[in-house]
Amino acid sequence: MTLCNENFLSPAGFRLDIPGFKSIGFQCTNAIVPGISMNGPTQATPYNDFQLAGDKLNYESLTLTFLIDEDCLNYSLIHNWMVGITYPQKSDQWYEFAEQMRDKDFENESQLDQIDLYLNILSSNFNTAFKLHFYDAFPVRLNSLEFNTDISDIQYLKAEVEFKYTYYKLTNSNDKQLTL
């Protein structure tokens, strides 16, 4: 008989990794692991309607809150990523963004519109216990920043970003899918 792990999962141990953007840090203070749901058809009968199992998963958005670095690099990366995807002022904004990323850690600029994200969940020893691998992620919302001189204590600025993605998997620290 195998013993189950008696250590409980801490909500304070997590880290965001965006491959290709290793030089830009995201000190996350909050991460909401998205829920999933499925909708199935209802089978009508004369006595009672029965809910049948669904055949399609619906994934909620990934929402992260991070501290903005003093040079605003992490905030501007998300901002420029969104501008690059949508090119709101001119059609070559995507190419400008891809050119900027070529100078960074990112090797394949053709994949910049949707990339994989990893939310590493840390154990009680602050080692990676497991990962949430989000496939084909891209930002869809970045909150506004409030600068305020009326505060008495310094409160460092935080940003909230929302990502859409195709799906996610739970993997172990070696990127193998978690199974029972």
Side-chain angles (χ1 to χ4, degrees):
M1 180 168 133
T2 60
L3 297 175
C4 66
N5 187 347
E6 295 292 328
N7 295 322
F8 298 108
L9 189 61
S10 169
F14 58 93
R15 181 183 69 242
L16 176 67
D17 284 337
I18 304 178
F21 300 116
K22 298 277 187 204
S23 63
I24 298 176
F26 286 88
Q27 180 64 40
C28 292
T29 60
N30 189 30
I32 300 173
V33 175
I36 59 173
S37 63
M38 63 179 181
N39 297 326
T42 301
Q43 175 68 49
T45 69
Y47 303 108
N48 194 13
D49 292 344
F50 294 100
Q51 182 69 42
L52 301 176
D55 60 353
K56 199 181 293 187
L57 286 178
N58 299 310
Y59 290 91
E60 294 176 359
S61 299
L62 169 64
T63 304
L64 301 167
T65 305
F66 61 92
L67 291 167
I68 299 173
D69 63 78
E70 193 171 56
D71 296 324
C72 204
L73 293 176
N74 50 12
Y75 186 88
S76 67
L77 170 71
I78 301 296
H79 173 270
N80 294 342
W81 188 2
M82 293 175 74
V83 168
I85 290 171
T86 59
Y87 43 89
Q89 290 95 22
K90 54 187 178 178
S91 61
D92 60 349
Q93 280 180 291
W94 172 250
Y95 300 107
E96 292 172 3
F97 177 66
E99 188 65 34
Q100 290 173 350
M101 292 304 101
R102 187 178 295 129
D103 295 337
K104 306 274 188 225
D105 303 327
F106 207 82
E107 296 112 21
N108 189 356
E109 70 272 1
S110 66
Q111 302 292 325
L112 279 173
D113 54 343
Q114 297 180 344
I115 61 175
D116 293 352
L117 304 177
Y118 297 88
L119 187 62
N120 296 301
I121 308 301
L122 307 179
S123 69
S124 56
N125 295 327
F126 296 101
N127 297 318
T128 299
F130 65 93
K131 300 177 184 180
L132 290 110
H133 181 174
F134 295 89
Y135 292 85
D136 303 327
F138 57 96
V140 295
R141 184 180 58 81
L142 182 62
N143 75 318
S144 55
L145 298 180
E146 180 182 353
F147 291 88
N148 187 348
T149 60
D150 293 334
I151 57 174
S152 58
D153 291 331
I154 291 183
Q155 298 173 3
Y156 295 105
L157 288 179
K158 296 178 184 179
E160 185 175 274
V161 61
E162 181 180 334
F163 289 96
K164 295 288 186 183
Y165 53 92
T166 307
Y167 63 99
Y168 72 88
K169 286 185 179 179
L170 282 81
T171 64
N172 65 17
S173 58
N174 298 319
D175 293 325
K176 304 288 185 211
Q177 189 163 347
L178 287 182
T179 58
L180 296 177

